[in-house]
Amino acid sequence: DDGNKILCTAKNAVAEDTRTAHIKVVDKPDAPYDVKLIPGGVDEVRSIMLRVRLPVYTGNAELTDVIVDLNAVVVNMQQSSKLAIDFSNFEKNGTVLLYTISSGILPYTCYAASVRLTNDYGQGAAKTSRIVRTEEAEPTSGPANVSVRDIDATSLLVTWLPVPLASRNGNITAHQVSYSSPHHTSRKRSICYNSKCFLESQQRIPVSEGLSVELRDLQSNTKYRIQVRAINGAGYSSWTSVDHATKDLDGGSSPMPFTPPPGYNILGAAGMKVDETHIPAPTGTEITFAAGPASDENGPVDFYRLLLVDMGRVKNVSKLHP
């Protein structure tokens, strides 16, 4: 309690004298009556308000510090930090203490706090709060490894990898794909993963399957800038970009000048440039072409050479007689 009054009397044959003393019993403080974490304070995303309700018994001594063990679950890993907060730094409202923690707080992260009170005689028992989660923030990086593959001359398949877990800062609800070219104004396709999708797209698919999209009705033989970004409840990530050119309508890539490699000649075609053409076909495919003139200034044509070239290198040479 607050102490006991002790009366001490000294007496002899002549007189007596009395003195009074007070004895105060002190101890460690009890655990806080209640501990609560409230996301927000200075910033709803990156700060948490700590509210501590003091116990009835504080050890009959002034409190000096509040020891806080703050535990966070970050990307499936447990992280903890210990804070020793001077009692004088708390905002006091009767038996309630308030303090804003803003250092090291991450968005969309679960936190719990264990709090002990201290006085000059020691540290009391702990009281633990319930788990709370901070608000979402915009993703800090975009989707990874964006790649593009030809489907045909006017269609492309765009694929990508998810935003890294540590950069999501929330629940990814959609991806958005933008594509444009010098002859094509920018267009966007949105892929949403739940019924709350707030974008213009009507396509909704499971998130596990939402890492690709087909772009159709494009212009052939055209270079496109393709961009992908992720979306969560707080906003958009940065764009991840890649450039890709669609193929010719005949199935080939964009025309590229080609001259025969050293040691090979095309009869009757000195200095002529032809288009390099890729023909995806299995072994045994028949290839036909129009024959050239029967002779030139060097004399009659004895045979033609069919060169199969890959990336500028001759892979195969066939001799064809007229």
Side-chain angles (χ1 to χ4, degrees):
D1 55 32
D2 290 336
N4 293 301
K5 181 178 180 181
I6 298 178
L7 182 66
C8 181
T9 302
K11 181 188 296 187
N12 61 19
V14 178
E16 66 178 37
D17 195 8
T18 301
R19 292 289 186 271
T20 301
H22 291 272
I23 298 177
K24 185 177 183 181
V25 179
V26 294
D27 196 3
K28 299 175 183 178
D30 286 347
Y33 179 77
D34 183 52
V35 175
K36 188 173 184 180
L37 291 177
I38 306 170
V42 178
D43 182 340
E44 291 186 358
V45 175
R46 298 185 182 274
S47 66
I48 292 179
M49 176 73 74
L50 172 64
R51 190 182 74 177
V52 179
R53 189 178 295 275
L54 296 177
V56 175
Y57 180 67
T58 59
N60 283 332
E62 291 187 2
L63 297 174
T64 57
D65 292 297
V66 179
I67 307 300
V68 181
D69 287 314
L70 188 64
N71 299 291
V73 178
V74 184
V75 192
N76 299 323
M77 295 178 60
Q78 192 80 16
Q79 294 185 354
S80 63
S81 58
K82 179 170 288 189
L83 308 174
I85 306 170
D86 190 282
F87 188 74
S88 62
N89 291 331
F90 280 86
E91 178 185 342
K92 302 173 183 65
N93 183 10
T95 60
V96 176
L97 307 179
L98 298 174
Y99 183 83
T100 299
I101 304 172
S102 56
S103 177
I105 301 300
L106 301 175
Y108 205 66
T109 301
C110 293
Y111 287 93
S114 178
V115 177
R116 299 173 184 267
L117 303 175
T118 63
N119 58 21
D120 288 337
Y121 301 94
Q123 187 178 113
K127 180 76 172 182
T128 302
S129 71
R130 293 184 177 182
I131 296 174
V132 300
R133 187 174 64 193
T134 52
E135 298 294 326
E136 291 183 278
E138 293 181 351
T140 51
S141 67
N145 291 10
V146 175
S147 62
V148 183
R149 184 169 62 84
D150 296 299
I151 298 175
D152 52 42
T154 59
S155 303
L156 299 173
L157 175 65
V158 184
T159 61
W160 60 90
L161 296 180
V163 174
L165 285 173
S167 300
R168 294 180 186 179
N169 296 337
N171 182 32
I172 300 298
T173 58
H175 284 97
Q176 193 172 61
V177 179
S178 170
Y179 54 103
S180 60
S181 73
H183 311 294
H184 233 148
T185 57
S186 179
R187 299 182 181 181
K188 291 184 174 65
R189 285 279 304 279
S190 302
I191 306 172
C192 308
Y193 307 133
N194 57 41
S195 58
K196 296 180 181 179
C197 180
F198 53 88
L199 300 166
E200 65 275 13
S201 172
Q202 299 300 311
Q203 181 181 8
R204 296 184 175 91
I205 57 178
V207 65
S208 60
E209 301 174 10
L211 301 177
S212 66
V213 66
E214 292 184 6
L215 305 180
R216 297 191 177 277
D217 300 322
L218 306 177
Q219 293 180 340
S220 62
N221 191 20
T222 301
K223 183 178 180 180
Y224 281 88
R225 165 62 57 91
I226 299 168
Q227 300 176 298
V228 183
R229 66 181 176 182
I231 305 170
N232 64 16
Y236 302 87
S237 74
S238 58
W239 290 104
T240 303
S241 303
V242 64
D243 293 331
H244 187 86
T246 52
K247 300 190 299 183
D248 280 346
L249 286 174
D250 63 1
S253 60
S254 302
M256 299 177 61
F258 170 75
T259 55
Y264 295 92
N265 293 305
I266 300 178
L267 295 179
M272 183 182 70
K273 294 183 178 180
V274 298
D275 292 342
E276 179 185 350
T277 302
H278 298 279
I279 304 176
T283 302
T285 299
E286 181 180 1
I287 299 176
T288 60
F289 63 96
S295 64
D296 61 13
E297 66 273 12
N298 296 317
V301 173
D302 294 323
F303 59 87
Y304 296 94
R305 292 190 188 276
L306 176 63
L307 280 66
L308 301 183
V309 182
D310 182 21
M311 301 298 291
R313 294 187 177 183
V314 176
K315 295 294 184 179
N316 187 35
V317 180
S318 299
K319 181 183 292 187
L320 304 177
H321 294 274

